[in-house]
Amino acid sequence: MSTDRPAGKARFAPPAQEELDPAERMGRDELEALQLERLRDVVTHAYQHVAPYRVKLDAAGVSPAEIRSLDDVHRLPFTTKEDLRVTYPFGMFAVPMERIARIHASSGTTGRPTVVGYTSADLDTWASLMARSLRAAGVRPGMMVHNAYGYGLFTGGLGAHAGIEALGATVVPASGGQTARQAQMIEDFAPQVVLCTPTYLLTLADALEERGVDPRSTNLRVAVLGAEPWTNEMREELETRLDLDAVDIYGLSEVMGPGVGSECIDTKDGPHLWEDHFLPEVVDPVTGEPVPDGERGELVLTTLTKEAFPVLRYRTRDLTRLLPGTARPAMRRIEKITGRSDDMIILRGVNLFPTQVEELVLAAPGLAPHYLLELTRRGKLDHLTVCVEPSSGRPADPDAAAEAEALVRRVKDSIGVSVEVRLEEPGALPRSEGKLQRVRDLRAST
Ligand code: DLL
């Protein structure tokens, strides 16, 4: 869905055809021929250099030479996060350590971290795809980009950084945290572009207001937002609050980092996947069977060009569907991600994602765009409390209390489940410093 924002600051124009990479201008047949050639190469590379892939492919009875069409990808075994964990730290690397130029790792809050590696050619590819993503968002050489994705082992900061430089823009390596100082830099340096998570942009908008700056008055024109699920309602909120275009960038460390796909500013209709480097499929999350384009399921990605860390049929756990290309006709899009299969809450038999609640909270004018889902146990049953705040900033605001009351009904009507809604004091809910945790699970202690 594309959202138009009210006329304010001039919008950035999309790149002209001649500014695009050759692959972005290919026809579908040419692109698929390239994908097939690369798929054969990557399967051969993984088979020859990564022992766990060799074992799995042998067990599945598939030899790299049998990859004759793109559909043959369905014959390859899946790779899961667990496969990466058991080979911690470097067991899935496909090149000798001397050729590894950089390492990143996931936070590992839910177990051992997953570690990924890049050769210098991989870093070049990543920078060029990140630059392509920024260009699609209307960013051009010479612009200033405030990069508030966290620097460090997380792929967001350094991945985006290299892309900004590759594009020829000016990078402000703000990283995460020190929000008051970041707001000041946005005011003083006047960047046109900001890169961060959608929830951190809300934090930045609050910090601008605290400085007495109207968030609509900055020089920011585009925000390139990702690393966590967010809804079109959140997009509208941010676009209106800051008077800019908010575009969606997708990626994950296991597959590369930010820039696996990105939205084009002219359509804002879900990230285009950069299919010259990644082969997407969507599968039924339970059976693992591929579903046709247009049907919802779990996104599965195969890297087509990575040297150090090739991944075959990686189960992302991200839920979406494949849609036809628009701004880049040959490259398919993913629908804005609704959530991850592991974020799904099953409440008395009803499946619920935090984004479904987000849509409803953001549609309630009396409520602030902050919310938290608190899971507890009452007797034998799970109980969900949606914690919200008044948008007026006034404690116990009667309008907000009425909206909170109405939210109980709206959740029941649209999601089909009974929840409690608790109106908190203004500022009581946790604010984002990067990726925001939406669910507080207190079931073990209640
Ligand atoms: O979050 C990479 C990234 C950084 C993407 C900056 C975009 C911008 P991980 O920490 O490995 O990598 O987390 C990857 O985050 O599987 C999704 O569940 C979620 N995610 C990433 N981008 C989006 C998005 C980075 N645009 C996981 N919409 C992924 C929804 C997203 N979820």
Side-chain angles (χ1 to χ4, degrees), residues 182-419:
Q182 296 214 26
Q184 175 161 13
M185 287 196 289
I186 289 174
E187 207 193 335
D188 295 347
F189 300 176
Q192 295 96 329
V193 184
V194 62
L195 270 48
C196 59
T197 61
T199 54
Y200 190 62
L201 191 55
L202 276 182
T203 305
L204 281 172
D206 286 346
L208 284 164
E209 268 174 9
E210 275 159 30
R211 294 178 55 75
V213 176
D214 175 359
R216 294 179 61 84
S217 71
T218 73
N219 199 32
L220 291 174
R221 307 284 190 84
V222 166
V224 183
L225 309 176
E228 61 185 5
W230 57 302
T231 58
N232 278 316
E233 284 72 13
M234 180 68 91
R235 185 198 316 259
E236 243 176 87
E237 166 81 22
L238 293 167
E239 292 191 330
T240 309
R241 181 123 185 252
L242 290 115
D243 191 18
L244 44 67
D245 279 297
V247 299
D248 192 4
I249 184 162
Y250 174 72
L252 63 167
S253 11
E254 293 85 354
V255 170
M256 181 176 78
V260 169
S262 208
E263 257 179 1
C264 299
I265 192 168
D266 31 343
T267 47
K268 288 198 278 183
D269 53 0
H272 274 86
L273 293 174
W274 304 133
E275 283 205 63
D276 46 334
H277 294 273
F278 309 100
L279 184 63
E281 301 164 76
V282 169
V283 304
D284 180 310
V286 180
T287 64
E289 280 304 310
V291 303
D293 284 10
E295 274 184 34
R296 293 200 172 80
E298 176 182 342
L299 183 65
V300 170
L301 291 168
T302 298
T303 63
L304 295 175
T305 52
K306 272 172 67 191
E307 293 182 341
F309 199 80
V311 286
L312 306 183
R313 298 194 90 199
Y314 185 69
R315 300 280 302 246
T316 66
R317 305 190 204 178
D318 292 324
L319 301 172
T320 183
R321 57 191 181 128
L322 286 169
L323 298 169
T326 49
R328 304 289 177 274
M331 302 220 192
R332 284 171 290 178
R333 289 169 297 136
I334 46 171
E335 185 174 62
K336 209 159 182 1
I337 289 174
T338 30
R340 294 171 57 78
S341 48
D342 17 6
D343 290 344
M344 189 174 80
I345 296 169
I346 305 176
L347 201 64
R348 294 185 287 281
V350 177
N351 299 349
L352 173 152
F353 289 97
T355 46
Q356 289 174 284
V357 175
E358 178 171 303
E359 285 177 2
L360 301 174
V361 171
L362 274 115
L367 301 179
H370 306 288
Y371 67 97
L372 179 74
L373 306 184
E374 198 175 86
L375 267 174
T376 49
R377 256 182 112 66
R378 299 227 173 134
K380 287 196 168 64
L381 293 179
D382 286 346
H383 182 80
L384 185 71
T385 307
V386 179
C387 309
V388 292
E389 286 182 16
S391 57
S392 63
R394 287 197 305 275
D397 179 339
D399 291 340
E403 293 275 4
E405 201 51 49
L407 188 59
V408 174
R409 274 196 312 278
R410 291 203 191 104
V411 172
K412 178 80 188 163
D413 289 348
S414 74
I415 310 175
V417 71
S418 301
V419 298

Side-chain angles (χ1 to χ4, degrees), residues 76-141:
L76 303 175
F78 289 122
T79 306
T80 63
K81 201 168 181 82
E82 195 47 34
D83 292 322
L84 308 185
R85 285 205 173 121
V86 298
T87 54
Y88 174 87
F90 306 137
M92 301 285 271
F93 285 14
V95 299
M97 279 313 283
E98 310 85 83
R99 289 197 53 213
I100 299 288
R102 169 110 58 87
I103 281 177
H104 281 284
S106 71
S107 60
T109 42
T110 57
R112 278 178 175 177
T114 46
V115 179
V116 295
Y118 306 77
T119 63
S120 60
D122 291 334
L123 291 177
D124 287 347
T125 307
W126 187 10
S128 77
L129 291 181
M130 191 60 220
R132 186 193 286 181
S133 303
L134 294 171
R135 203 187 302 118
V139 185
R140 290 197 154 61

Side-chain angles (χ1 to χ4, degrees), residues 6 155 170 258 360:
T155 51
T170 308
L360 301 174

